[in-house]
Amino acid sequence: METKATWYTNGKSKNVKVLVCKDYETLSKKAAGILAGIISVKPDAILGLATGSSPVGTYQELIRLYEAGILDFSQVKTYNLDEYYPLEATNDQSYHYFMNTNLFDHVNIDKNNVHVPDGNAADMNEACTSYEAMLDEIGGVDIQLLGIGGNGHIGFNEPTDTFVGPTHVVELTESTIQANSRFFEKIEDVPTKAISMGIGSIMKAKKILLVANGEGKAKAIADTLEGPITPQVPASILQLHHDVTIIIDEAAAANLKEYHA
Ligand code: GLP
């Protein structure tokens, strides 16, 4: 079977739907299909977007659908999760640059409708407050796409003692700096800080779609779905969201007890 669906029920009517796909390509097509469906029924959909290698295949499929004339991004608005700090949007290591090269430059999106947190603002507190105010103004994104860090981080919300609600400046953990150094020439080049939507900002989304692949994500996925809700595993908060879909491959599903039961 190409894809197997499992429901994780976290009390009352709160559900997390988990789709386990045979490979990364299938996973990416499924995720893109969900985003495409939303854009089709709501041409001015507001998408929350993510960076990292996990959503790259999803973006490639969205580009393919656009090129095939199936998708129109002309009215779509986007809000990205995070950005390195300090880093200019034009820097080729910035998440803004990543979004341009991996999606925005290849579809007919109006760049005025694109929002990425400012990682180079003179006043970072103000940058955080105004980003959060924008999210409040739109009443939350229609769907938030997420990857997940090997330590369970979402956006750049690293494991901590308390969940942080709004957009804020974060200190990256050593493991995240190590993991992300693969995109930089040398580890010293990886910024040690970032501006990120907080857990509260992410939870404002009407729908959440998380994609993950590979064995390096297996523990984080199991902790997210089957462990306690704890700020030590930031993604575990998703158990409290009313509409979450998690699309993973077999390797990322390896540690799920309920799925393999
Ligand atoms: C970064 C990003 C996250 C992303 C994570 C996983 O730290 N801030 O949004 O989910 O990395 O990245 P990858 O998909 O490359 O494994």
Side-chain angles (χ1 to χ4, degrees), residues 42 69 85 182 186 194 215:
K42 191 180 175 209
Y85 161 64
R182 68 190 194 277
K186 44 188 194 318
E215 59 186 359

Side-chain angles (χ1 to χ4, degrees), residues 50-55 81-82 84 95 146-150 153-156 176 180 182-183 211 213 217:
T51 49
S53 50
S54 310
L81 279 171
D82 49 10
Y84 286 115
Y95 280 171
L146 295 175
I148 186 169
H153 76 235
I154 46 177
F156 264 134
T176 298
N180 291 2
R182 68 190 194 277
F183 299 114
V211 289
N213 62 292
K217 301 294 169 68

Side-chain angles (χ1 to χ4, degrees), residues 28-58:
S28 300
K29 285 195 168 149
K30 288 258 172 240
I34 291 174
L35 292 165
I38 288 174
I39 298 169
S40 303
V41 295
K42 191 180 175 209
D44 59 347
I46 305 177
L47 310 180
L49 297 179
T51 49
S53 50
S54 310
V56 168
T58 305

Side-chain angles (χ1 to χ4, degrees), residues 1-4 20-24 26-27 248-250:
M1 202 187 330
E2 285 227 326
T3 303
K4 191 178 156 197
V20 181
C21 301
K22 74 169 171 58
D23 55 23
Y24 180 66
T26 313
L27 167 171
I248 53 182
D249 66 356
E250 291 285 352

Side-chain angles (χ1 to χ4, degrees), residues 190-221:
V190 187
T192 56
K193 291 184 185 175
I195 171 171
S196 177
M197 280 193 202
I199 291 297
S201 334
I202 292 170
M203 293 293 274
K204 282 174 191 165
K206 296 184 181 102
K207 277 176 175 294
I208 289 183
L209 173 60
L210 187 149
V211 289
N213 62 292
E215 59 186 359
K217 301 294 169 68
K219 182 176 184 318
I221 289 294

Side-chain angles (χ1 to χ4, degrees), residues 27 34 69 85 100 111 124 143-144 149 184 210 249 258:
L27 167 171
I34 291 174
Y85 161 64
N100 283 337
K111 292 267 178 89
M124 286 307 286
I143 184 164
Q144 177 65 56
F184 292 79
L210 187 149
D249 66 356
E258 229 172 281

Side-chain angles (χ1 to χ4, degrees), residues 47-250:
L47 310 180
L49 297 179
T51 49
S53 50
S54 310
V56 168
T58 305
Y59 294 149
Q60 283 168 355
E61 177 64 8
L62 288 177
I63 294 167
R64 194 190 67 76
L65 293 172
Y66 164 70
E67 286 172 347
I70 295 166
L71 273 186
D72 172 18
F73 286 83
S74 61
Q75 297 178 61
V76 169
K77 293 190 182 64
T78 65
Y79 289 82
N80 259 79
L81 279 171
D82 49 10
E83 179 60 282
Y84 286 115
Y85 161 64
L87 211 57
E88 284 174 18
T90 49
N91 187 301
D92 63 5
Q93 295 293 354
S94 77
Y95 280 171
H96 205 133
Y97 189 92
F98 173 100
M99 288 310 301
N100 283 337
T101 51
N102 283 284
L103 180 65
F104 300 148
D105 286 347
H106 307 284
V107 296
N108 66 335
I109 196 160
D110 178 349
K111 292 267 178 89
N112 292 317
N113 288 338
V114 161
H115 308 85
V116 180
D118 186 354
N120 201 38
D123 182 342
M124 286 307 286
N125 282 338
E126 206 283 317
C128 292
T129 314
S130 61
Y131 202 70
E132 196 63 33
M134 278 197 292
L135 295 174
D136 283 335
E137 210 169 297
I138 58 170
V141 298
D142 291 316
I143 184 164
Q144 177 65 56
L145 179 62
L146 295 175
I148 186 169
N151 62 5
H153 76 235
I154 46 177
F156 264 134
N157 292 274
E158 296 280 29
T160 50
D161 292 337
T162 44
F163 288 114
V164 180
T167 302
H168 60 296
V169 171
V170 280
E171 200 78 50
L172 304 184
T173 62
E174 205 43 55
S175 72
T176 298
I177 293 170
Q178 279 284 352
N180 291 2
S181 65
R182 68 190 194 277
F183 299 114
F184 292 79
E185 237 168 68
K186 44 188 194 318
I187 192 159
E188 296 76 48
D189 294 343
V190 187
T192 56
K193 291 184 185 175
I195 171 171
S196 177
M197 280 193 202
I199 291 297
S201 334
I202 292 170
M203 293 293 274
K204 282 174 191 165
K206 296 184 181 102
K207 277 176 175 294
I208 289 183
L209 173 60
L210 187 149
V211 289
N213 62 292
E215 59 186 359
K217 301 294 169 68
K219 182 176 184 318
I221 289 294
D223 288 348
T224 296
L225 285 163
E226 296 180 348
I229 299 169
T230 163
Q232 292 301 335
V233 182
S236 63
I237 196 79
L238 299 179
Q239 292 180 27
L240 294 180
H241 194 280
H242 64 282
D243 188 348
V244 183
T245 301
I246 293 186
I247 311 186
I248 53 182
D249 66 356
E250 291 285 352

